[in-house]
Amino acid sequence: TEEIIAKIKRLQKFADGLNLDLCGWILDEADAYRQIPVSPDHRKFAVIFVRDAKGGVKFFVMIGHSFGLISAVYNYNRRSAMLDEILQKIFEVASNFYYDDKFGIETMETINSADEAVIFLHTILGCDWVDRKHYVGQEPTVLGITYNLVAMHLEIKESRKKDLLSTLRAIWQANR
């Protein structure tokens, strides 16, 4: 949130009093951890086991990173960081990421070319995304927070607000 607000303030600063219509773009990758394959030579190291209901063990070869593995998170974030760096340095897109969620704030004049660059980069690199979670507009919602770029204020989604209040109540009741 702090990075997005800092970018908005920077855009406002350079607008120098001009009317600044801002928009946001969002792209959420599909099954992100499954998109990073394991080399065929390394599959012998990618065996997992699961206990069945009878206490037995079943073995499986993971062809993508398992979400539960700590190394999978780090490996995946390397890819997200690389995509973000390419978007910023080569395509000059004001981008951010949080794991598989990619997002950015642009002016009305640059939002379409920024979104096209994001789609282009993900397409040529074979990074699949969830089309229904792809968004371009003036009220992008990132991690439960809507950035109302017309009114210039933040709005917490009701579902996120309930989750936060529930957590705060649990902390209060546990007295820690």
Side-chain angles (χ1 to χ4, degrees):
T1 303
E2 298 86 12
E3 287 183 35
I4 297 172
I5 291 172
K7 286 184 179 184
I8 291 170
K9 288 186 176 211
R10 201 170 317 133
L11 284 167
Q12 289 173 326
K13 178 182 175 184
F14 291 109
D16 199 29
L18 298 174
N19 186 15
L20 191 62
D21 291 326
L22 296 177
C23 285
W25 60 267
I26 298 171
L27 188 88
D28 188 3
E29 288 194 37
D31 298 321
Y33 293 91
R34 300 285 186 238
Q35 289 191 44
I36 301 179
V38 173
S39 167
D41 295 342
H42 294 174
R43 287 197 179 146
K44 62 186 172 192
F45 304 115
V47 176
I48 64 165
F49 73 92
V50 179
R51 290 194 186 276
D52 64 22
K54 298 176 184 175
V57 176
K58 304 286 185 195
F59 294 91
F60 301 93
V61 174
M62 294 290 295
I63 56 171
H65 285 290
S66 172
F67 181 78
L69 296 175
I70 292 172
S71 62
V73 175
Y74 292 127
N75 285 335
Y76 177 78
N77 274 332
R78 286 186 191 107
R79 185 177 87 163
S80 281
M82 178 197 68
L83 291 170
D84 197 55
E85 192 78 8
I86 292 169
L87 286 170
Q88 290 181 27
K89 299 283 169 62
I90 296 174
F91 292 98
E92 297 183 352
V93 172
S95 62
N96 293 80
F97 71 94
Y98 186 79
Y99 298 101
D100 62 336
D101 297 324
K102 317 296 178 51
F103 45 90
I105 305 293
E106 296 275 342
T107 64
M108 192 73 82
E109 289 79 24
T110 61
I111 190 67
N112 289 327
S113 63
D115 183 57
E116 289 171 9
V118 171
I119 296 296
F120 174 76
L121 181 62
H122 282 76
T123 301
I124 64 168
L125 294 179
C127 303
D128 195 17
W129 68 90
V130 181
D131 196 45
R132 66 179 168 75
K133 292 185 178 180
H134 174 229
Y135 174 84
V136 176
Q138 290 189 300
E139 294 185 5
T141 299
V142 178
L143 304 172
I145 298 173
T146 300
Y147 296 81
N148 186 327
L149 300 171
V150 176
M152 293 307 268
H153 61 81
L154 301 175
E155 302 166 355
I156 299 176
K157 290 185 70 140
E158 276 304 313
S159 59
R160 181 73 175 128
K161 192 184 300 183
K162 287 178 184 176
D163 289 344
L164 289 171
L165 287 173
S166 174
T167 301
L168 290 171
R169 280 189 195 100
I171 292 169
W172 179 266
Q173 289 171 349
N175 200 24
R176 61 184 171 102

